[in-house]
Amino acid sequence: MSSIKQIPVITERKGNPLARVFDEFVRFCRSRSLFILHYCTGCGAIELPPAMTSRFDMERLGIQPMVSPRQADILLITGYVSIKTLKRVILTYEQMGSPKYVIGICSCTVNGGMYWQSYATAKKLDEYMPVDLYIAGCMPRPEAVLAGLQKLMDRIHSGEANSWEDYFRNYDYYLGNQQKLFGENWQTPTDIITEAKHYDLIDEGTFGKHTQLLEQHQKPLEALDMRLGHDLKEPTE
Amino acid sequence: MSQELTHWLDDLLEEIEGIKVRRKSGRRVRADVPADTLPALLELLQGRAGYIHLSAISCVDWIEEDEFELVYHVWSYESHSLVSAHIRIAREPGVYLSVYDLYQPAGFFERDIHEMYGIHFEGSPNMEKFILTEWDGPPPMRKEFDSEAYVNEHLSWQEYNPPWLQELIAEGGGVIIPPEEQRFSRKKD
Ligand code: SF4
């Protein structure tokens, strides 16, 4: 038929076109300045020093290690996650500021790896927190780690990497899995539901019977005492 | 020198009743003793032969024989040799004496064995939880604990060959290497 029909029609979003340009720009910047918090849970951590230092040098991609969860963008979980560690991983994840991304390195984070029938390690990381990307291998070489990070950069740039929103939208699911493993009294010091309201990410999956259970057990969160030194007792004088 | 050492160590060990000594190699000696003479043996080794370093206590669960085996590894910095003292204790009630007064590091090993096997060491300074602080199941290294059943109950399995893996394979990634591309088969021709 006439060639006119073959011209692709692009239906664009309505709104201020400059806003889109700005969004695009923000995503570009975000994908070029990533700070990783590497939670070195298992043996896979040993591949990170070469990936970071001069041989493979991930800094040329704009990726740098960061010291605290509050300032980090990527949570890198490098290996098997024991159930005791998983609690800490979840606490760390919840304290990171959004947008945040999780990468599971090593086969152990995918399916338990060689610890498949161990009573002490979690099998599927993505049951407890949304995972953006897995890098499988026992252990993956630095090339694979870099390829994975590049893939994450592309996905952040294109706006696909938004699984952190999933934690708020489906909080009930994640909380349910956590409660199944850690017991009904499980509570983290972060108030996810208030945060979800703040980001305007309340969805059908945010509330459910697990969040109800949490509300029953929840102790009110208190501000931590600020004091110097490690002695928690009152001074005697 | 090691020949000499062998002789006087053998003579020394003969002082213990019911001991069976087997020489595993030039520097390793295995001694099987009845459970109640172990403290005497360790005292002798520490006081008169220079075995001052308790490097580990290990435990084996012989469920069919209804016994636990405890192995005390002591090392001498003078003769550079290791003596492993093996004892067997009844699985029930699973109680033994602590050797903390002879070797203080034993406190840690005994605490660890208590946690993993449920053996109680009398006179050990601390029998609290050690590593599994958040575990309230049975001692997990005992043979009757079924780890796989525990996993089935509390955790869930990853699907085998899930759809996203097939997508990865289609892109040229994934974990499946066709046999003709494996290195050893390439080597043949
Ligand atoms: S996948 Fe292999 S290298 Fe990675 S944590 Fe598991 S056992 Fe260690």
Side-chain angles (χ1 to χ4, degrees):
Chain A
M1 280 250 298
S2 69
S3 56
I4 255 185
K5 290 221 164 143
Q6 284 163 19
I7 296 172
V9 181
I10 301 164
T11 47
E12 291 201 345
R13 265 191 305 160
K14 287 196 187 118
N16 187 351
L18 276 181
R20 279 202 306 282
V21 172
F22 193 67
D23 278 354
E24 166 80 20
F25 179 65
V26 166
R27 285 203 302 263
F28 175 82
C29 297
R30 215 175 247 167
S31 69
R32 256 70 183 170
S33 124
L34 292 169
F35 289 92
I36 56 174
L37 181 74
H38 32 320
Y39 200 111
C40 298
T41 55
C43 9
I46 206 71
E47 296 294 340
L48 288 182
M52 274 171 206
T53 50
S54 52
R55 171 83 197 273
F56 294 99
D57 194 13
M58 63 165 76
E59 209 175 315
R60 68 201 152 93
L61 306 176
I63 300 171
Q64 260 199 342
M66 181 38 80
V67 288
S68 85
R70 299 268 188 222
Q71 291 149 297
D73 304 301
I74 305 179
L75 180 59
L76 211 63
I77 296 173
T78 58
Y80 56 87
V81 191
S82 76
I83 291 169
K84 206 171 152 184
T85 316
L86 183 62
K87 289 185 184 172
R88 278 81 184 164
V89 171
I90 291 168
L91 297 195
T92 314
Y93 175 73
E94 290 187 352
Q95 292 188 33
M96 288 169 60
S98 303
K100 51 193 169 185
Y101 314 97
V102 179
I103 298 185
I105 290 191
C106 273
S107 305
C108 282
T109 54
V110 183
N111 59 4
M114 64 190 242
Y115 304 99
W116 60 278
Q117 31 110 271
S118 158
Y119 62 93
T121 54
K123 309 298 167 227
K124 288 163 76 177
L125 186 60
D126 53 48
E127 279 193 328
Y128 308 100
M129 59 177 66
V131 176
D132 283 279
L133 196 84
Y134 280 121
I135 304 172
C138 180
M139 48 203 54
R141 298 254 315 134
E143 293 97 320
V145 175
L146 288 187
L149 286 168
Q150 266 172 327
K151 186 143 192 176
L152 182 71
M153 284 168 66
D154 293 344
R155 296 181 59 164
I156 294 172
H157 191 174
S158 66
E160 286 167 70
N162 56 359
S163 68
W164 61 276
E165 294 177 6
D166 197 51
Y167 195 67
F168 298 112
R169 291 196 208 278
N170 287 315
Y171 182 51
D172 191 56
Y173 166 79
Y174 293 110
L175 183 68
N177 288 330
Q178 292 165 12
Q179 280 172 348
K180 187 177 159 210
L181 203 55
F182 309 141
E184 293 185 348
N185 291 332
W186 168 248
Q187 180 192 353
T188 57
T190 320
D191 192 344
I192 295 298
I193 291 170
T194 315
E195 230 177 280
K197 282 183 190 140
H198 170 79
Y199 289 118
D200 202 12
L201 289 173
I202 299 275
D203 211 336
E204 275 170 27
T206 309
F207 299 104
K209 58 177 194 291
H210 303 294
T211 50
Q212 273 171 14
L213 198 63
L214 176 69
E215 269 165 37
Q216 282 168 22
H217 296 288
Q218 201 164 26
K219 294 191 201 85
L221 301 173
E222 285 165 20
L224 291 177
D225 253 1
M226 298 294 270
R227 55 174 94 212
L228 296 175
H230 57 273
D231 193 357
L232 290 175
K233 281 183 217 118
E234 288 294 319
T236 37
E237 277 186 322
Chain B
M1 140 142 193
S2 74
Q3 219 43 40
E4 270 168 53
L5 174 123
T6 318
H7 281 300
W8 72 254
L9 187 65
D10 280 348
D11 291 344
L12 192 74
L13 290 177
E14 260 160 36
E15 287 178 28
I16 303 287
E17 247 178 74
I19 194 169
K20 256 196 286 161
V21 180
R22 262 193 281 160
R23 200 156 283 285
K24 311 289 277 186
S25 73
R27 286 185 178 169
R28 292 195 72 137
V29 179
R30 175 186 168 140
D32 290 82
V33 286
D36 48 347
T37 53
L38 180 89
L41 172 69
L42 291 184
E43 216 171 326
L44 195 75
L45 285 171
Q46 189 191 41
R48 297 212 351 236
Y51 288 88
I52 55 169
H53 178 96
L54 176 73
S55 52
I57 305 176
S58 37
C59 182
V60 187
D61 184 359
W62 299 101
I63 190 166
E64 273 141 36
E65 288 140 58
D66 219 12
E67 277 176 338
F68 283 121
E69 180 173 12
L70 290 172
V71 191
Y72 293 73
H73 306 273
V74 284
W75 171 259
S76 160
Y77 290 98
E78 287 160 27
S79 60
H80 298 283
S81 58
L82 184 87
V83 177
S84 308
H86 294 237
I87 60 165
R88 296 270 186 136
I89 60 169
R91 223 159 164 278
E92 289 302 326
V95 179
Y96 191 62
L97 292 174
S98 168
V99 294
Y100 178 71
D101 46 351
L102 285 173
Y103 293 99
Q104 285 192 358
F108 285 115
F109 303 138
E110 286 166 356
R111 197 169 157 190
D112 189 29
I113 291 175
H114 174 68
E115 176 175 85
M116 292 295 183
Y117 293 90
I119 299 177
H120 187 79
F121 289 89
E122 272 170 15
S124 196
N126 192 349
M127 289 271 104
E128 296 286 297
K129 295 255 174 195
F130 189 29
I131 293 166
L132 300 176
T133 44
E134 285 152 31
W135 171 257
D136 46 14
M141 300 284 271
R142 288 173 87 104
K143 288 268 166 70
E144 77 257 17
F145 175 73
D146 188 345
S147 190
E148 207 174 316
Y150 181 87
V151 172
N152 277 327
E153 195 179 324
H154 290 88
L155 301 154
S156 43
W157 303 107
Q158 184 71 263
E159 230 179 294
Y160 185 74
N161 215 346
W164 52 262
L165 184 60
Q166 283 147 22
E167 280 167 32
L168 281 183
I169 292 166
E171 279 174 31
V175 289
I176 296 166
I177 308 166
E180 64 275 11
E181 281 180 23
Q182 280 180 15
R183 276 185 207 160
F184 58 82
S185 58
R186 260 195 227 159
K187 258 186 211 162
K188 275 184 205 155
D189 44 62

